[in-house]
C-alpha cells in the first residue's frame, strides 16, 4: 500500500498524540517530584497545576478522536479513496487537533470548542468520502 497524503497526516497526528503526555508529566514532576510522580496515585499528593490537568484531558480527547479518525483514513487508503477533499480534510483535522490541545491546555474555552468542531467536521468529510465510494 502506498503512503497517501492522508496516511502521512495520520502518521503525523498519531505521533503528536503520543507526545502529548510529556508537558503534563513534566509539570507533575515539578509539582510532586520524581518519586511521587512514579508512585501510585495518592489523594495526599499535591494536585497538578490547572493547565497540566487540562493538557491531560486534551490528550485523552485527542486519543478518543484518533480512534474514530484513524480507521476512516486507513479504510480510505485500503479502498483507494484519496481526493482533494480527503487530503484537505486530513490537513484540517491535523491543524484542528493541534490547536485544540494548545488552547485546551491554555484554558481558552471558545476556541477549544471551535477546534473540536472543525476536527469532527473534517472526520465527517472523510467518512462521507469512504461511505460514498462504491
Amino acid at each position: 500500500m502506498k503512503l497517501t497524503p492522508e496516511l502521512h497526516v495520520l502518521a503525523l497526528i498519531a505521533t503528536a498524540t503520543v507526545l502529548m503526555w510529556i508537558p503534563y508529566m513534566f509539570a507533575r514532576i515539578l509539582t510532586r517530584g520524581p518519586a511521587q510522580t512514579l508512585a501510585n496515585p495518592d489523594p495526599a499528593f499535591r494536585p497538578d497545576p490547572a493547565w497540566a490537568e487540562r493538557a491531560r484531558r486534551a490528550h485523552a480527547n485527542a486519543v478518543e478522536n484518533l480512534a474514530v479518525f484513524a480507521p476512516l483514513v486507513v479504510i480510505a487508503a485500503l479502498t483507494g479513496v484519496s481526493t482533494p477533499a480527503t487530503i484537505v480534510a486530513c490537513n484540517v483535522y491535523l491543524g484542528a487537533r493541534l490547536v485544540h490541545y494548545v488552547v485546551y491546555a491554555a484554558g481558552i474555552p471558545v476556541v477549544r470548542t471551535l477546534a473540536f468542531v472543525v476536527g469532527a467536521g473534517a472526520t465527517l468529510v472523510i467518512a462521507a468520502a469512504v461511505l460514498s465510494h462504491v
Side-chain angles (χ1 to χ4, degrees):
M1 176 172 26
K2 180 182 166 208
L3 182 65
T4 64
E6 295 90 347
L7 287 173
H8 181 178
V9 171
L10 177 58
L12 291 173
I13 195 64
T15 302
T17 303
V18 79
L19 296 173
M20 288 178 180
W21 63 273
I22 294 172
Y24 64 85
M25 271 304 130
F26 186 67
R28 186 169 287 176
I29 290 167
L30 291 176
T31 302
R32 300 178 185 177
Q36 286 186 346
T37 299
L38 295 173
N40 289 326
D42 186 325
F45 290 169
R46 290 177 55 194
D48 292 331
W51 73 265
E53 178 55 29
R54 289 190 304 270
R56 188 192 63 73
R57 288 194 310 264
H59 180 210
N61 185 269
V63 170
E64 292 165 0
N65 281 270
L66 187 59
V68 177
F69 178 77
L72 290 169
V73 171
V74 171
I75 292 167
L78 289 172
T79 58
V81 174
S82 180
T83 68
T86 59
I87 293 168
V88 168
C90 284
N91 285 303
V92 166
Y93 180 87
L94 173 63
R97 293 310 311 174
L98 294 175
V99 167
H100 180 268
Y101 179 82
V102 170
V103 299
Y104 199 153
I108 305 170
V110 174
V111 178
R112 180 193 86 196
T113 303
L114 291 173
F116 174 85
V117 169
V118 168
T123 302
L124 289 173
V125 167
I126 296 168
V130 166
L131 293 172
S132 68
H133 183 73
V134 184

